[in-house]
Amino acid sequence: ILNVEQSPQSLHVQEGDSTNFTCSFPSSNFYALHWYRWETAKSPEALFVMTLNGDEKKKGRISATLNTKEGYSYLYIKGSQPEDSATYLCAFFAKRANNLFFGTGTRLTVIP
Amino acid sequence: DAGITQSPRYKITETGRQVTLMCHQTWSHSYMFWYRQDLGHGLRLIYYSAAADITDKGEVPDGYVVSRSKTENFPLTLESATRSQTSVYFCASSPPNSPLHFGNGTRLTVT
């Protein structure tokens, strides 16, 4: 079992604010880092899969960075909108493992 | 329709009964996973499979059994359901080194 930690646990921001949250994972045996968006009453949907140190991915107003040497990834949301309200999960894929270890997520609420 | 489907969506069962949750995917993805969602724990892996006839334990396998005789199906069986197995169960599939595609979940209540 690998420890994947996300912070903060929950976050409330005003519409239009930019925000970011953190995923920490073991820096050894790194293979890939996934980010998922999980809306209430739905199933998680993939945002990014990141594999290289220094990787930056972007999808619309959402972007992510990866530091495999120190074991963290940041997810950024620029100009938050109410429809961004969801739980954001990161998941760590270790070498020699065939499965993902999920963090407990950051629950984002964007207040109109 | 292409995709991943779980059945049933909701299930209520009694302690001690055997119950099977079904998962079917139409993409021929090699990897399939079963997770349970619990407050404070997020998604915890129960079992996964890298290919047909290959299954491995995840973080919380006790009390569960899986099989994968065909690539597209990955049923999860609770041999003798307990109240602690009340949860929402998610099945997922993926090709190697790719993001997971999740089913809509099965809400299981054990009374």
Side-chain angles (χ1 to χ4, degrees):
Chain A
I1 298 168
L2 297 174
N3 202 24
V4 181
E5 296 183 351
Q6 292 188 247
S7 61
Q9 208 168 19
S10 66
L11 192 56
H12 290 73
V13 301
Q14 291 292 135
E15 181 176 354
D17 285 353
S18 294
T19 187
N20 67 85
F21 16 96
T22 306
C23 172
S24 301
F25 53 86
S27 55
S28 58
N29 293 320
F30 176 84
Y31 188 82
L33 193 283
H34 294 207
W35 280 101
Y36 292 83
R37 181 170 179 272
W38 193 2
E39 290 181 73
T40 302
K42 294 188 178 179
S43 43
E45 292 183 348
L47 287 171
F48 306 115
V49 175
M50 309 176 79
T51 56
L52 297 174
N53 185 44
D55 229 356
E56 289 189 31
K57 300 268 186 178
K58 188 174 181 182
K59 184 183 282 189
R61 293 180 291 99
I62 304 176
S63 60
T65 60
L66 178 67
N67 183 323
T68 60
K69 294 187 187 307
E70 295 181 37
Y72 65 84
S73 175
Y74 293 138
L75 189 80
Y76 300 91
I77 302 179
K78 185 177 178 182
S80 303
Q81 299 297 308
E83 57 265 31
D84 295 329
S85 296
T87 296
Y88 291 83
L89 294 171
C90 71
F92 172 72
F93 200 109
K95 284 181 188 174
R96 294 185 295 277
N98 278 320
N99 62 78
L100 287 177
F101 295 92
F102 279 86
T104 52
T106 292
R107 187 178 182 87
L108 174 67
T109 304
V110 182
I111 304 163
Chain B
D1 288 340
I4 181 166
T5 53
Q6 292 183 235
S7 61
R9 289 296 308 275
Y10 304 93
K11 177 75 178 176
I12 300 174
T13 191
E14 294 177 342
T15 300
R17 289 197 182 260
Q18 183 181 83
V19 60
T20 296
L21 310 183
M22 304 302 291
C23 180
H24 175 79
Q25 52 109 351
T26 59
W27 293 299
S28 299
H29 287 167
S30 55
Y31 283 89
M32 295 190 77
F33 307 82
W34 274 107
Y35 289 91
R36 57 178 288 175
Q37 177 197 4
D38 298 306
L39 278 173
H41 292 281
L43 288 172
R44 292 192 293 175
L45 183 67
I46 305 169
Y47 269 94
Y48 65 100
S49 169
D53 296 322
I54 300 174
T55 62
D56 280 295
K57 294 179 181 178
E59 187 183 354
V60 287
D62 292 344
Y64 303 96
V65 174
V66 293
S67 62
R68 187 127 181 247
S69 57
K70 292 184 178 180
T71 299
E72 59 266 31
N73 296 324
F74 192 39
L76 176 74
T77 298
L78 287 67
E79 296 183 294
S80 178
T82 64
R83 288 192 179 140
S84 64
Q85 292 176 310
T86 292
S87 187
V88 180
Y89 291 83
F90 285 95
C91 178
S93 72
S94 78
N97 307 321
S98 297
L100 271 58
H101 299 263
F102 284 86
N104 288 328
T106 294
R107 184 175 292 275
L108 175 68
T109 302
V110 183
T111 61

